[in-house]
Amino acid sequence: MKYTRLTKEQFEELHQEFINFLATQSITADEWADIKANKPEVAEEELDIFSDLVWEGVLRKVTYLEHISPQQMHLFHLKETDMQLIAVKLNIDTVDLTTSEGFDWFRNNLLSDDVEFLTANKAYSEDKALDKFKLIQQGGVITKGDLYRYFEKLVVK
């Protein structure tokens, strides 16, 4: 398995897609019930294959990720050939970016000496999808990129 198995909730959400996946392998509902009951290792393998297919589809489409912690914000633009990062670091530990009050303070103090902006670019490894997946595993959240685009106008020249 290349990525991680989908959660029970994710499988429930993708129930119809999973049925279609089994159908592409000519596995009927009765056969699936038999596989689960009598060949659990085969069932596990099918769940893993389906999970990887879903992740591949998602990762192919991901363009923006955000990772916000109390003192830092990492905003990623995942382009075709490289990843671009806008990082925000607070040099004040009484403000927490993960709270609405902390984010309000940040918005009102963007130009303060307590706020530091950094930018970076990084080429992908041989496996672009896996690079994206690792960022998600480290806490990155898929977004539409509104924050990235906002700060890009301020800090990227």
Side-chain angles (χ1 to χ4, degrees):
M1 169 161 228
K2 186 172 179 180
Y3 304 108
T4 58
R5 182 177 295 174
L6 299 174
T7 65
K8 184 177 189 290
E9 293 78 17
Q10 290 167 325
F11 272 110
E12 287 169 3
E13 282 291 315
L14 296 169
H15 179 74
Q16 187 58 50
E17 289 82 354
F18 186 66
I19 290 171
N20 294 343
F21 166 75
L22 292 175
T24 63
Q25 298 182 62
S26 302
I27 299 174
T28 65
D30 289 341
E31 288 170 326
W32 178 243
D34 181 58
I35 289 169
K36 287 193 308 186
N38 300 313
K39 299 178 189 167
E41 68 286 347
V42 174
E44 297 285 319
E45 194 174 301
E46 292 297 330
L47 295 172
D48 289 347
I49 292 168
F50 179 73
S51 294
D52 277 350
L53 285 172
V54 170
W55 274 113
E56 285 287 343
V58 168
L59 295 168
R60 197 172 19 259
K61 294 176 185 173
V62 172
T63 309
Y64 293 97
L65 289 174
E66 295 175 2
H67 185 265
I68 301 174
S69 61
Q71 272 23 98
Q72 296 184 33
M73 186 183 321
H74 293 93
L75 310 171
F76 296 92
H77 185 185
L78 307 170
K79 294 185 159 190
E80 191 59 37
T81 58
D82 68 346
M83 300 179 261
Q84 296 185 338
L85 167 69
I86 297 173
V88 176
K89 182 178 181 224
L90 298 187
N91 297 319
I92 179 172
D93 59 7
T94 56
V95 176
D96 182 343
L97 289 171
T98 63
T99 67
S100 56
E101 298 82 14
F103 204 81
D104 286 344
W105 178 93
F106 168 64
R107 274 202 322 251
N108 294 325
N109 294 278
L110 280 178
L111 302 176
S112 158
D113 288 342
D114 292 324
V115 178
E116 192 177 335
F117 289 93
L118 304 155
T119 59
N121 288 23
K122 180 181 178 186
Y124 293 108
S125 71
E126 300 266 326
D127 192 336
K128 181 176 15 177
L130 192 56
D131 292 344
K132 293 177 181 183
F133 182 74
K134 286 177 182 175
L135 290 172
I136 292 169
Q137 280 208 301
Q138 293 166 2
V141 177
I142 299 169
T143 69
K144 293 184 173 147
D146 295 338
L147 270 178
Y148 182 93
R149 286 191 301 276
Y150 176 80
F151 287 113
E152 181 180 38
K153 292 174 190 165
L154 296 176
V155 300
V156 177
K157 281 140 182 96

